[in-house]
Every structure is written in structure tokens, then in C-alpha cells.
């Protein structure tokens, strides 16, 4: 697995996710609550 | 102090300023400022008032969100600060100098004058998108509106084969890894392919995903 990957908060905009995916060449971005560090979901590039 | 000739020529080569009439460019050169920044300088931080539009002439600027995640690295000819100016709100991003930078700062009032009086500038900074049939632009939605509420997770000691089986059966391409409820990492089909199948340090059924 990839430990401590780049992650965004649920409040981030979809455009931020797309930007991160393109900039970093990644296909998945975990969505994590800011303060708790608990994982909420992930978005996949399709 | 007006912009040095070299920076005026630079600005005249950057869109949308390349579309300005000579007189407008001369006026802009009178009010814009050349500013030099060192590595590590913060141009503005989340929550701060943004007073200028910045055009990068030299150097690199890192843009991060409120959690510190890097969103982009901007270089020469890129500009930033317009989002906060256009919203009339505090910065929602932090801009930090990554490599010594020389920038052209355009005061907010001048920025708005340019938008009002020069259509190419207005078009360039118009972040609205054409309305779709449904009226929503997915790019401007917060991700919480799209994300899965009940995602598949596993623990670091989950056997790789079990993780792969879950992905296969549920038709998903990633599983996030939780350790005692806290987010620890992510495993994707690319990980399984590159690190397990290709590298094959040991048989997949005996390897743990951590």
C-alpha cells in the first residue's frame, strides 16, 4: 500500500481533486476529515 | 516605481496582457510593482486578505490548501491571487515561495479596471463555465457531494489476496487502509500490479498489504 498518501478534505472542490490527479499523475485521492484524520472516501479518475 | 522595461516586455508577452493596447500597458506599468521574494516567503496564507494579483516572472510558487496539501507548483507566466480577489473573500489557499521569485504585483483596483475595460482580460479570468442542462458544474462542487459514504476498507494486515478479491468482487480499483479506525494509506490496482505481480517479493497469498 501507499502510506500517508496525498489526501483532501470533503470540503475540497472537485476541481482541486482533478488538479492534484493531473499534477501528480495519480488516479485515486483519499478524502479525509481535516482534524480527525479519519478516512471518509476516495475519488477515482475515470 | 514603474516596472523596469524588461518586465514590461515580459508582461506584454503573457496572455491576456499581450492583448492590451500600448497605452493600457503603459498605464499598467506605472502602477504594477516588481517584487522579489526568497525561498520560504509566504505571499499570502489561508484566511488572509489578498491585495494583489501576482504574475510570476521568475521562480516557483507552491499553492497549498487549508490542510497543507500541495495543489500546484506555479512557474513563470502563471498568475495567482485572482480567485480570492474575484470572490471578494479571504484567501482559501496559501502561496509560498519554493524558488527565489520575481513577481509583478498588480493592485486589486487595477485588476478590476482591466477586467472592466478589456474583454480579453475579462474572458481570461472568467472562471464561470457554460450552464449545463442540469445547471450544475461538477468541477465546482465540494467532493463531499460525490464521494461514497460507505466505502470498503481493510486493515494493514489484510492478506493481499483478500484485498484483491474485494476489489474484483465489488468492481472497485482501490481500498483505503484503516488502522484502529484512523486513515493510514491506500492500496490500488496499480499497487498490486507494480509491487506484487511485477516485483513479486513473495507469493501474493503470503504477502500482507502493509
Amino acid at each position: 500500500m501507499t502510506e500517508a498518501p496525498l489526501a483532501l478534505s470533503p470540503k475540497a472542490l472537485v476541481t482541486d481533486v482533478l488538479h492534484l490527479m493531473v499534477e501528480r499523475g495519480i488516479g485515486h485521492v483519499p478524502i479525509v476529515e481535516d482534524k480527525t484524520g479519519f478516512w471518509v472516501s476516495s475519488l477515482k479518475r475515470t | 516605481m514603474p516596472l523596469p522595461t524588461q518586465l514590461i516586455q515580459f508582461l506584454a508577452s503573457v496572455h491576456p496582457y499581450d492583448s492590451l493596447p500600448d497605452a493600457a500597458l503603459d498605464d499598467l506599468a506605472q502602477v504594477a510593482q516588481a517584487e522579489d521574494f526568497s525561498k520560504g516567503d509566504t505571499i499570502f496564507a489561508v484566511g488572509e486578505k489578498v491585495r494583489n494579483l501576482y504574475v510570476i516572472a521568475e521562480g516557483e510558487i507552491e499553492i497549498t490548501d487549508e490542510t497543507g496539501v500541495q495543489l500546484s507548483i506555479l512557474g513563470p507566466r502563471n498568475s495567482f491571487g485572482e480567485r480570492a480577489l474575484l470572490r471578494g473573500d479571504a484567501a482559501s489557499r496559501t502561496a509560498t515561495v519554493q524558488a527565489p521569485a520575481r513577481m509583478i504585483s498588480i493592485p486589486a483596483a487595477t485588476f478590476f479596471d482591466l477586467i472592466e475595460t478589456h474583454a480579453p482580460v475579462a474572458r481570461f479570468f472568467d472562471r464561470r463555465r457554460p450552464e449545463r442542462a442540469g445547471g450544475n458544474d461538477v468541477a465546482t462542487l465540494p467532493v463531499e457531494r460525490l464521494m461514497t459514504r460507505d466505502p470498503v476498507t481493510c486493515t494493514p494486515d489484510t492478506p493481499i489476496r483478500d484485498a484483491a478479491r474485494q476489489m474484483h468482487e465489488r468492481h472497485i480499483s482501490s481500498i483505503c487502509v484503516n488502522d484502529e479506525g484512523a486513515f493510514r494509506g491506500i492500496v490500488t490496482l496499480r499497487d498490486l500490479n507494480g509491487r506484487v505481480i511485477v516485483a513479486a517479493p513473495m507469493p501474493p497469498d503470503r504477502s500482507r498489504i502493509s
Side-chain angles (χ1 to χ4, degrees):
Chain A
M1 70 179 190
T2 301
E3 290 208 52
L6 289 171
L8 289 174
S9 85
K11 301 294 182 193
L13 301 181
V14 172
T15 188
D16 295 329
V17 177
L18 296 174
H19 201 99
L20 195 61
M21 287 177 168
V22 171
E23 286 267 334
R24 297 302 187 92
I26 54 179
H28 299 77
V29 175
I31 306 301
V32 178
E33 289 285 3
D34 298 344
K35 292 179 180 168
T36 61
F38 280 77
W39 177 58
V40 176
S41 186
S42 71
L43 288 187
K44 173 192 172 191
R45 177 161 57 176
T46 56
Chain B
M1 180 185 298
L3 285 181
T5 303
Q6 188 182 1
L7 283 184
I8 297 173
Q9 291 172 343
F10 167 78
L11 198 55
S13 72
V14 177
H15 189 69
Y17 315 100
D18 59 346
S19 64
L20 294 177
D22 289 345
L25 192 62
D26 288 344
D27 289 344
L28 177 56
Q30 295 299 314
V31 293
Q33 297 287 316
E35 294 190 66
D36 294 311
F37 295 90
S38 303
K39 182 177 179 178
D41 286 351
T42 299
I43 310 301
F44 54 74
V46 171
E48 291 183 356
K49 184 174 177 61
V50 177
R51 301 179 188 282
N52 301 298
L53 171 74
Y54 296 92
V55 182
I56 305 170
E58 298 171 18
E60 287 183 347
I61 306 298
E62 178 188 48
I63 305 296
T64 54
D65 71 5
E66 73 278 11
T67 64
V69 170
Q70 183 190 84
L71 297 176
S72 60
I73 295 284
L74 304 178
R77 312 177 83 80
N78 292 146
S79 55
F80 61 96
E82 73 277 6
R83 285 174 65 162
L85 291 176
L86 290 168
R87 281 199 320 271
D89 200 359
S92 60
R93 304 284 182 258
T94 294
T96 308
V97 178
Q98 283 285 86
R102 168 157 260 221
M103 288 191 279
I104 298 167
S105 62
I106 299 174
T110 304
F111 171 60
F112 288 118
D113 282 346
L114 288 172
I115 286 178
E116 201 162 301
T117 54
H118 300 284
V121 178
R123 279 195 298 273
F124 182 78
F125 288 108
D126 184 358
R127 299 301 165 93
R128 292 171 301 171
R129 297 291 183 268
E131 290 277 326
R132 295 183 180 179
N136 284 331
D137 180 355
V138 69
T140 59
L141 290 176
V143 294
E144 62 188 349
R145 298 271 301 275
L146 295 180
M147 66 192 194
T148 306
R149 299 282 172 182
D150 185 21
V152 178
T153 63
C154 68
T155 58
D157 60 355
T158 300
I160 286 175
R161 179 158 288 177
D162 287 357
R165 182 178 294 117
Q166 287 201 67
M167 288 191 211
H168 177 71
E169 291 176 353
R170 293 168 181 262
H171 305 287
I172 56 178
S173 57
S174 69
I175 299 179
C176 277
V177 182
N178 284 353
D179 197 359
E180 296 183 350
F183 174 70
R184 178 163 165 192
I186 187 170
V187 59
T188 66
L189 287 178
R190 187 191 292 182
D191 293 330
L192 297 182
N193 185 47
R195 299 181 187 178
V196 180
I197 307 301
V198 176
M202 64 177 69
D205 57 341
R206 293 175 52 196
S207 301
R208 305 287 167 175
I209 59 171
S210 60

